[in-house]
Amino acid sequence: MSSVIDGKQFADDLCEKLKAEVSELEAQHQLLPCIAVVLVGEDPASQVYVRNKVRRCEQLGIRSIEHRLGDDTTEEALLALIDELNNDSAVHGILVQLPVPEQINDKAVLAAISPAKDVDGFHVENVGALTVGENQMVPCTPLGSLMMLQDRLGDLSGKHAVVIGRSNIVGKPMALLLLQQSCTVTIVHSRTKNIEALCQQADILVAAVGRPHFVKADWVKPGAVVIDVGINRIEQDGKSRLVGDVDFDAVSEVASAITPVPGGVGPMTIACLMYNTVAAAKMQQGLV
Ligand code: NAP
């Protein structure tokens, strides 16, 4: 039976440290870290994500400014707002909640955000920095996952990590972070043959697929550490509930440690957004 990695507790602990740092920055340097959160349209899931992020900012003493734009916002109008925020020295982080409505090109939006203020870590310049091992802004979900892995396992060097999924926001940056830790990294995706056999070799298994209960118990090497990034809504017994990409109950019998859904990677993603915002504020103030 594996131990459950409590992402919520881990996130609370990280946020406690950040809260102390935020008050120290204000007292010693008159620096108030600030993030601008931009939400375009009425997507219900995005509204929940933004609300949770803003609430965390309030808990930590980080200033947050919400910009809520209508569904019919043009790309030009959104780019103009980003330009304004890029030039506002009181704003240290800019987050545009994805997805944006279809008339807006999300690549153009991500490219417009100043890399120094790109707290999501999605700008090509930050992706390039991660690729060459000169990390600046690192995407929040893989960063939070790595922190939990290091806490659980200590040195990751030499471990075989299998990452399921190759998206730009989770799979690829996760693989790069694990490679930086000297793991042997395998990335599998929808065209990979014999996924089960590859997963069975993993000391560390990260699932970022977006398919409920995709990873079965017999895919997991006994003693492996499993990070479940997936968030899937399913109907069960007439009720709607959130589950991950891993068959939690069955895999718990095999793995040495596993993150639950909810309460695993999700809370750490928001905590790492706070972490990146504080880091961005310090960098822009020349404090690191
Ligand atoms: P994505 O962009 O849809 O990528 C999914 C990846 O899974 C793709 O690389 C895809 O392969 C691969 N895949 C799909 N079906 C597969 C199959 N049958 N076999 C093997 N690989 C398969 O999703 P994402 O943005 O990375 O997110 C993944 C999951 O994590 C989603 O459930 C999302 O909601 C969740 N998520 C959670 C957080 C959090 O804070 N906890 C943050 C971000 C995302 P191809 O590239 O070949 O298509």
Side-chain angles (χ1 to χ4, degrees), residues 49 122 140-142 145 163-172 187-192 195 207-212 214 219 228-233 243-245 260-261 264-270:
Y49 292 144
F122 296 159
C140 303
T141 300
S145 302
V163 179
I164 316 176
R166 55 172 165 177
S167 71
N168 289 336
I169 63 170
V170 190
K172 280 185 209 157
I187 305 176
V188 302
H189 49 76
S190 68
R191 305 296 175 92
T192 303
I195 285 198
V209 195
R211 288 172 183 255
F214 184 74
W219 296 23
D228 189 353
V229 179
I231 302 177
N232 309 289
R233 191 165 282 285
V243 296
D245 290 341
V261 178
V265 175
M268 276 306 285
T269 296
I270 298 185

Side-chain angles (χ1 to χ4, degrees), residues 4 15 24 36 41 53 83-84 109 120 127 135 146 157 166 178 200 234-235 260:
V4 175
C15 286
E24 199 179 300
K53 288 167 186 174
D83 189 47
E84 200 181 296
V109 170
D120 259 338
V127 176
N135 302 5
L146 178 70
S157 168
R166 55 172 165 177
L178 290 164
Q200 281 160 0
I234 60 161
E235 295 295 321

Side-chain angles (χ1 to χ4, degrees), residues 122-148:
F122 296 159
H123 191 285
V124 169
E125 201 172 303
N126 285 321
V127 176
L130 179 64
T131 308
V132 295
E134 294 174 10
N135 302 5
Q136 288 170 22
M137 288 290 137
V138 175
C140 303
T141 300
L143 180 59
S145 302
L146 178 70
M147 286 178 182
M148 289 190 285

Side-chain angles (χ1 to χ4, degrees), residues 34-35 85-86 88 91-95 110-127 129 136-138 275-286 288:
C34 170
I35 179 170
L85 297 170
N86 280 340
D88 184 342
V91 172
H92 307 103
I94 302 170
L95 180 145
L110 298 181
I113 296 171
S114 160
K117 297 189 179 187
D118 169 37
V119 282
D120 259 338
F122 296 159
H123 191 285
V124 169
E125 201 172 303
N126 285 321
V127 176
Q136 288 170 22
M137 288 290 137
V138 175
Y275 177 91
N276 278 351
T277 303
V278 173
K282 287 194 294 185
M283 276 190 252
Q284 285 158 53
Q285 204 72 12
V288 278

Side-chain angles (χ1 to χ4, degrees), residues 178-199:
L178 290 164
L179 194 57
Q180 282 180 6
Q181 297 304 315
S182 299
C183 289
T184 301
V185 181
T186 302
I187 305 176
V188 302
H189 49 76
S190 68
R191 305 296 175 92
T192 303
K193 297 192 170 52
N194 296 325
I195 285 198
E196 300 95 298
L198 291 163
C199 291

